[in-house]
Amino acid sequence: MREKLIRRLESLIRPLRPLLLPALSVFTAMVLGGILIALAGGNPIEAYAGMLEGALGSPRAVSETLVWATPYILAGLSVSLALKGGLFNIGAEGQLALGALAAAWAGHWLPQLVGGGLPAALHVPLTLLLGALAGGLWAAVPGWIKARAGGHEVISTIMLNYVALNAVSFLLNGPMKDPEASNVLSRTPLIDESARIPALVDGFRLHWGFPLALLAAALVGWALRRTTFGFEIRTAGQSPDAARYAGVRVSRTVIATMALSGAFAGVAGAIEVSALHHRHELGFSQGYGFDAIAIALLGKAHPGGTVLAALLFSVMRSGATRMQYLTQVPIDVISIIQALILLFVAADALVRRIYRVRGERERLVLTRGWGG
């Protein structure tokens, strides 16, 4: 009876084992963050309680937390999908900015181009589609460089971030700037009402982009497990040589994976424009694309894990202001904690040694060498 009970407990715990290291990484980062708060003269317990109150303490707080989670989920999926293919997409921030710019163009200038207004049932999907297309095409460039010339995607995506962000800055200050005489900011005109994603609940900022992000995560998880293309991505990510032996066209898969990865980042930017800001302006993303790297690593590049990691990061971001108001702890502590989480997730051997956790059989392939 005892042995049967032990086997039953082991069968229940086994699916949770992949969550152990990420949970320990978060716990260790929170402990060190608490020490920093104490050294700054604050009370760690009060600070974390204030953060939870600010993120989950009221219906409006929950709404704001889920608003934060929407771009985090989509941008995290962007990085996670690339990681599944053995690629490290550092360019989600630039891809997101271009997706937002394309959405702003589709929302304001596309109706003028076709000579009249568009119905919302057509205009909203077109806005999101053009955002995805902009991000996907931009990410396909480093994918092509990787596949055809062996250039490392980490370097090319980082460099293309600067190109994208500076190009967006030029356009927002020039050809696409709001021409209103009262406007002194670098931003586009407001998009049409027909291009706006409506609120999910009246009186709150939470919008239909959040369930769309959850649906995207579910579709990615299904596609990776159940489709031929998902098999090709996973096989090429784990072993390109084995993938070639299995008949996978690795070069094509690399380009397609990067393009699809960028498309998710582009949709994240498009939803921010369509659902919240209703225009594109400088600084709107608040580093979603860079935070997405930590989110994807914390989620072990699994769609479900990415959603959980995105929710954690959104709780920290949404509750940071309340934490600062109640305890006078600088809001920058949240950025430090997020950086520590990334550090411990990346240095999982250190976490294993601290907590004496045995190694896993399968390791996540972050990226391959130049020409690999």
Side-chain angles (χ1 to χ4, degrees), residues 49-331:
M51 181 181 69
L52 290 176
E53 180 184 341
L56 305 171
S58 68
R60 189 166 300 279
V62 173
S63 170
E64 290 302 309
T65 298
L66 297 183
V67 165
W68 275 92
T70 302
Y72 274 154
I73 292 172
L74 290 167
L77 286 175
S78 170
V79 181
S80 295
L81 184 63
L83 288 174
K84 281 294 186 182
L87 303 163
F88 208 167
N89 180 13
I90 310 292
E93 184 75 4
Q95 295 148 19
L96 189 148
L98 289 175
L101 191 72
W105 180 86
H108 179 74
W109 282 282
L110 182 59
Q112 301 175 19
L113 186 65
V114 298
L118 295 172
L122 178 62
H123 203 178
V124 171
L126 278 176
T127 300
L128 300 185
L129 179 61
L130 287 176
L133 187 62
L137 289 175
W138 195 250
V141 174
W144 184 87
I145 294 173
K146 173 80 170 183
R148 300 302 183 188
H152 206 298
E153 75 279 2
V154 170
I155 296 175
S156 55
T157 50
I158 288 176
M159 294 299 101
L160 286 175
N161 265 339
Y162 291 104
V163 177
L165 295 174
N166 282 290
V168 168
S169 177
F170 164 75
L171 291 171
L172 293 182
N173 282 287
M176 297 182 67
K177 185 176 181 179
D178 186 354
E180 289 289 334
S182 59
N183 176 52
V184 295
L185 301 176
S186 301
R187 62 185 187 183
T188 63
L190 288 170
I191 63 175
D192 291 0
E193 291 284 345
S194 59
R196 300 182 184 183
I197 295 175
L200 189 60
V201 181
D202 290 340
F204 294 92
R205 292 208 310 156
L206 181 61
H207 51 79
W208 282 96
F210 177 69
L212 181 62
L214 295 180
L215 177 62
L219 288 176
V220 169
W222 173 81
L224 286 173
R225 293 192 309 271
R226 303 292 184 182
T227 67
T228 301
F229 182 54
F231 168 78
E232 292 175 349
I233 290 176
R234 291 185 288 108
T235 306
Q238 290 297 321
S239 175
D241 291 335
R244 291 188 184 94
Y245 184 78
V248 176
R249 297 175 60 181
V250 174
S251 295
R252 185 186 64 180
T253 301
V254 166
I255 298 172
T257 302
M258 284 298 294
L260 191 56
S261 169
F264 280 110
V267 168
I271 287 178
E272 287 294 288
V273 167
S274 180
L276 289 178
H277 305 283
H278 302 148
R279 65 182 1 138
H280 187 15
E281 57 187 29
L282 286 182
F284 89 103
S285 76
Q286 306 185 63
Y288 293 132
F290 296 121
D291 288 344
I293 299 168
I295 289 169
L297 292 176
L298 179 59
K300 293 295 183 181
H302 187 282
T306 299
V307 170
L308 293 176
L311 290 172
L312 173 64
F313 270 55
S314 61
V315 164
M316 288 192 286
R317 285 295 184 187
S318 180
T321 302
R322 182 66 175 170
M323 180 189 75
Q324 185 179 39
Y325 174 76
L326 292 176
T327 64
Q328 306 305 309
V329 172
I331 200 171

